[in-house]
């Protein structure tokens, strides 16, 4: 039996919750105990009463959740005020984005927390099942946010995305044609903007061409071509992903400075360090800033603004993996499930994520080596 803890998220305006009441019911059905912090599901539309009726034990503070639990399940990465709540041997299942967060990486290693990052759980076909639903939400919201930021009261150029008859529509350039870029393009096309998607994968562009049927310009970029498109754009959306790794800076300060004043830059990759050189993390409380005359929207937890939709989408895909971890522990579940093996970040004080090790120049053990090493150590014990 594992005690699963669900603390309330405390990142700015983060309304998602890592487990909805029907997930509590499922865990209890499998013989586990669930401890939920009071109010954890409120913003997502789940009352304390719903959690209690599902069988959860409600407690008043995050400290009580962490103190009672073996496995902590969250939405966003722990922030420094939560670090003292962890103890050695805790297991953690959440989004981590460690390649952009050296301090958190060092903490998890020092405290010997066994962690699995949602964003690096990877299926055999290379898909990222726990990242995809939030990428879909973030992509759609990126275009919504850009449209809002273009408005004059927000400091924008006063342009309506789709224009009206007799006026030009906004030009939207999306860098990256993966899940985020695809969803951002859908909304931009729906708003009747002029849309271009840049991606280095010709096969992906061919797929997007089939889907959009000629309504979107699809471009294999190089530096000069990217600079040209950015310069004439009203909106640039950075939608680049290198799984588990720090995002490459593909849009330079010079490119941003070439845009018309009041244009908009949205960096969806900001939680992985950002793909726009002028970007820095913002919050839902203060979502924008102006740099080089361009309004930047760089909120690191975009889906948190639509807490209920995001919670329903996220928990529907995380629950099957959570059940495996609760049943076998992080180590045991990773031994049996290749997707979770690829999602391992830290194990017994060892860093087992290659992209994170490269980002911080830390020593690396592969997940297989870490699991094998632990077995040999246990075999040598008297």
């Amino acid at each position: 039996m594992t005690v699963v803890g669900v603390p309330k998220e405390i990142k700015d305006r983060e309304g998602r919750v890592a487990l909805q009441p029907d997930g509590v019911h499922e865990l209890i059905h499998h013989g586990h105990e669930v401890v939920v912090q009071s109010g954890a599901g409120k913003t997502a539309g789940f009352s304390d009463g719903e959690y209690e009726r599902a069988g959860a034990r409600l407690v008043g503070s995050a400290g009580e959740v962490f103190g009672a639990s073996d496995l902590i399940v969250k939405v966003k990465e722990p922030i420094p005020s939560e670090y003292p709540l962890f103890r050695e041997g805790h297991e953690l299942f959440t989004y981590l984005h460690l390649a952009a967060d050296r301090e958190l990486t060092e903490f998890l290693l020092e405290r010997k927390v066994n962690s699995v990052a949602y964003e690096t759980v990877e299926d055999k076909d290379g898909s990222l099942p726990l990242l995809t639903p939030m990428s879909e939400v973030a992509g759609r919201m990126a275009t919504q946010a850009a449209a809002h930021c273009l408005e004059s009261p927000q400091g924008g150029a006063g342009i309506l995305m789709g224009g009206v008859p007799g006026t030009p529509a906004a030009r939207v350039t999306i860098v990256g044609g993966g899940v985020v870029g695809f969803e951002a393009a859908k909304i931009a096309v729906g708003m009747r903007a002029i849309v271009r998607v840049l991606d280095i994968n010709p096969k992906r562009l061919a797929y997007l061409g089939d889907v959009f049927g000629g309504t979107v310009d699809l471009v294999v970029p190089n530096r000069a071509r990217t600079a040209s498109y950015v310069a004439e754009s009203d909106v640039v959306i950075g939608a680049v992903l290198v799984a588990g790794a720090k995002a490459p800076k593909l849009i330079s300060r010079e490119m941003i400075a070439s845009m018309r004043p009041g244009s908009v830059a949205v960096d969806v990759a900001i939680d992985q360090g950002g793909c726009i050189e002028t970007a820095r993390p913002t919050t839902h409380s203060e979502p924008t800033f102006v740099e080089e005359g361009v309004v930047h929207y760089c909120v690191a937890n975009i889906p948190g603004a639509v807490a209920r939709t995001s919670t329903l989408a996220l928990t529907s895909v995380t629950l099957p993996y959570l059940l495996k971890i609760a049943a076998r522990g992080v180590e045991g579940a990773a031994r049996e499930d290749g997707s979770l093996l690829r999602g391992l970040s830290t194990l017994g004080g060892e860093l087992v994520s290659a992209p994170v090790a490269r980002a911080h120049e830390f020593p690396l053990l592969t997940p297989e080596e870490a699991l094998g090493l632990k077995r040999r150590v246990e075999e040598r014990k008297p």
Side-chain angles (χ1 to χ4, degrees), residues 28 57 115 130 138 150 158 283 295 302 309 351-352 359 377:
I28 289 174
R57 175 160 64 94
S115 63
L130 307 190
L150 275 175
T283 66
V295 180
I302 293 174
T309 294
L351 182 60
V352 294
V377 169

Side-chain angles (χ1 to χ4, degrees), residues 238-255:
V240 175
L241 172 70
V242 180
K246 198 167 184 178
K249 301 292 186 186
L250 299 182
I251 303 169
S252 69
R253 175 176 290 275
E254 182 181 8
M255 293 178 192

Side-chain angles (χ1 to χ4, degrees), residues 104-150:
L104 177 57
T105 304
E106 291 176 333
F107 168 75
L108 294 175
L109 294 173
E110 182 273 328
R111 195 57 55 91
K112 296 184 178 178
V113 174
N114 293 342
S115 63
V116 176
Y118 290 164
E119 72 272 14
T120 55
V121 172
E122 183 178 333
D123 286 342
K124 290 180 180 178
D125 62 2
S127 63
L128 303 168
L130 307 190
L131 184 61
T132 295
M134 294 303 93
S135 295
E136 291 170 337
V137 172
R140 295 184 179 201
M141 289 191 66
T143 304
Q144 290 183 196
H148 182 60
C149 291
L150 275 175

Side-chain angles (χ1 to χ4, degrees), residues 54-129:
R57 175 160 64 94
L58 270 291
V59 296
S61 69
E64 291 173 274
V65 173
F66 279 76
S69 303
D70 309 304
L71 168 61
I72 303 298
V73 58
K74 285 174 48 61
V75 176
K76 291 302 290 180
E77 70 282 353
I79 63 176
S81 63
E82 294 174 299
Y83 292 179
L85 303 178
F86 283 92
R87 64 174 183 270
E88 184 173 324
H90 257 148
E91 298 190 320
L92 175 64
F93 190 37
T94 188
Y95 287 117
L96 284 172
H97 304 294
L98 293 181
D101 196 336
R102 185 185 184 95
E103 180 184 4
L104 177 57
T105 304
E106 291 176 333
F107 168 75
L108 294 175
L109 294 173
E110 182 273 328
R111 195 57 55 91
K112 296 184 178 178
V113 174
N114 293 342
S115 63
V116 176
Y118 290 164
E119 72 272 14
T120 55
V121 172
E122 183 178 333
D123 286 342
K124 290 180 180 178
D125 62 2
S127 63
L128 303 168

